[in-house]
Amino acid sequence: MNKPVKFLILRFSSIGDIVLTTPVVRCLKKQMPEAEIHYFTKSKFEFLLHDNPYIDKVWLLEKGNAKELLALLKKENFDYIIDLHRNIRTLRIKWALGVPAFSFEKLNVQKWLMTQFKINHLPPVHIVDRCLDTLKTFNIQNDGEGLDYFIPSKDQVELEWLPETHRASYVAYAIGGQHFTKKMPAPRMIELCRKINHPVILLGGPEDFEAGEAIRNALGNTQILNACGKYNFNQSASLIQKALIVFTHDTGLMHVAAAFRKKVYSIWGNTIPEFGMYPYRTTFEKLEVKGLDCRPCSKIGYNKCPKGHFKCMNDISFDFPIPELPQSN
């Protein structure tokens, strides 16, 4: 019996980036079902992959175990490496294992030109499709099924656990963001929630709780449920799955919403959709300020606006139509 072809997929961070690799895993496994697929990531992101049926084994990087893991990986005798991170760490892994490797194009030069000089040489290609290009050698095709997100049953949030005001229907708003310049200021979030005019569940981490309370205090308990810091990420994903529509900053829950094919209103501050990480294979609207000579100022973000005015968020217009939502009881 022939040995199955073994792939090692590399992606160490972050939440959204790992979710964006799920089509690679699915397409590879479904179109090469005899293949054995291993995924190497940081231990804190294991929850994103644990329930993925297309992955045979997950390898977890923790502080101090890199050398030990590398020795174990060598014994696996992988046939190919699919590098979806492409940094110094993955370069060392590829060099140590010494097997054919296929790496996705990060477009660092093009992003630098865009952030520093506003010269746009970015291809109109989503990062998912650039990741899938790593599989061309194996004749793997994009199946068009979009992103995957698998929630374990223990993390499913039931509607009856919510306040009565939010059980019939609600809008989810992911107010978090990895950096300050990816999040709207609280007064603008209050303004947006007034525009939504429907029960809203605010999602984010403990660091977003204070902003959530400001919104709740301004609009009241009947419209706003501040869930920031009250649920783990999978539970927040469960609330996204049950939402009517989703408003979100450029953050991991935006990609979760895309995985569940939600109508997404994506809010862009210092980053831009042209970097190729907009909601994938779902209906979405972009809320952004076009024409700012300082935007984008970074491909990631800052802890404050470099110019001090934060126009990319403060000047976003909310003059857009929201689909008619069912009336709550």
Side-chain angles (χ1 to χ4, degrees):
M1 184 174 179
N2 292 332
K3 167 183 170 292
V5 179
K6 293 178 74 171
F7 289 88
L8 177 63
I9 296 175
L10 306 176
R11 182 71 220 191
F12 292 103
S13 63
S14 55
I15 289 175
D17 295 305
I18 292 171
V19 174
L20 288 167
T21 68
T22 55
V24 171
V25 173
R26 181 188 66 248
C27 292
L28 184 57
K29 189 65 173 180
K30 292 184 77 171
Q31 295 174 43
M32 291 181 66
E34 75 287 354
E36 191 173 315
I37 299 176
H38 295 221
Y39 199 115
F40 192 10
T41 192
K42 290 181 180 178
S43 60
K44 66 180 179 179
F45 300 120
E46 190 264 350
F47 72 93
L48 295 169
L49 305 169
H50 183 271
D51 293 271
N52 191 317
Y54 305 115
I55 298 174
D56 295 292
K57 184 171 182 177
V58 178
W59 295 83
L60 300 176
L61 180 67
E62 297 176 357
K63 189 175 182 179
N65 77 339
K67 188 174 181 180
E68 175 189 353
L69 274 184
L70 197 55
L72 293 173
L73 290 170
K74 287 180 180 179
K75 293 179 181 179
E76 290 287 338
N77 295 315
F78 290 104
D79 295 289
Y80 303 104
I81 293 173
I82 307 298
D83 182 2
L84 303 180
H85 203 130
R86 198 170 185 175
N87 63 3
I88 295 297
R89 173 176 281 142
T90 64
L91 181 63
R92 289 171 178 165
I93 294 169
K94 290 183 288 188
W95 180 83
L97 298 187
V99 300
F102 302 87
S103 306
F104 96 112
E105 179 54 59
K106 294 185 80 168
L107 304 179
N108 282 339
V109 171
Q110 293 91 329
K111 290 177 182 177
W112 181 79
L113 287 171
M114 190 63 183
T115 56
Q116 297 301 311
F117 303 106
K118 310 304 177 279
I119 298 172
N120 190 358
H121 289 311
L122 293 163
V125 180
H126 198 281
I127 190 173
V128 169
D129 298 304
R130 288 193 278 121
C131 287
L132 283 164
D133 281 345
T134 60
L135 303 180
K136 281 183 175 179
T137 297
F138 310 100
N139 198 32
I140 301 298
Q141 306 296 317
N142 188 343
D143 61 10
E145 293 299 315
L147 307 177
D148 286 324
Y149 198 90
F150 301 97
I151 304 172
S153 57
K154 66 181 179 64
D155 285 329
Q156 287 287 352
V157 177
E158 302 298 333
L159 290 174
E160 55 263 32
W161 299 350
L162 302 177
E164 288 188 16
T165 52
H166 289 68
R167 290 177 190 172
S169 64
Y170 62 85
V171 171
Y173 180 7
I175 70 171
Q178 190 175 3
H179 300 277
F180 172 88
T181 51
K182 284 189 171 186
K183 299 187 286 187
M184 283 199 301
R188 298 247 56 209
M189 291 193 274
I190 292 169
E191 186 182 346
L192 175 57
C193 288
R194 283 202 176 100
K195 162 83 175 182
I196 295 170
N197 192 29
H198 197 79
V200 177
I201 296 183
L202 305 176
L203 299 173
E207 68 279 5
D208 302 305
F209 180 78
E210 186 177 344
E213 283 297 278
I215 300 168
R216 186 183 65 81
N217 289 332
L219 277 73
N221 292 331
T222 57
Q223 185 170 347
I224 302 297
L225 172 61
N226 180 14
C228 296
K230 296 181 179 179
Y231 295 98
N232 66 32
F233 193 87
N234 276 336
Q235 291 168 333
S236 294
S238 175
L239 290 168
I240 289 282
Q241 187 180 32
K242 295 175 175 66
L244 292 173
I245 57 177
V246 177
F247 287 79
T248 175
H249 301 145
D250 177 14
T251 188
L253 285 174
M254 177 176 72
H255 303 300
V256 171
F260 293 129
R261 313 297 190 273
K262 295 296 176 179
K263 166 81 174 187
V264 176
Y265 290 81
S266 59
I267 302 163
W268 301 86
N270 79 282
T271 55
I272 56 173
E274 287 81 2
F275 286 152
M277 299 181 71
Y278 47 87
Y280 188 68
R281 299 269 176 168
T282 197
T283 305
F284 72 98
E285 303 284 344
K286 295 177 288 187
L287 306 184
E288 61 179 334
V289 180
K290 289 282 194 179
L292 284 178
D293 58 11
C294 57
R295 179 175 179 264
C297 59
S298 166
K299 65 179 182 179
I300 301 174
Y302 296 111
N303 60 8
K304 63 180 181 179
C305 171
K307 298 289 186 180
H309 52 62
F310 205 21
K311 287 183 177 181
C312 61
M313 283 299 192
N314 285 322
D315 289 358
I316 286 180
S317 170
F318 296 149
D319 184 22
F320 58 89
I322 294 178
E324 186 171 341
L325 303 174
Q327 293 298 311
S328 301
N329 296 330

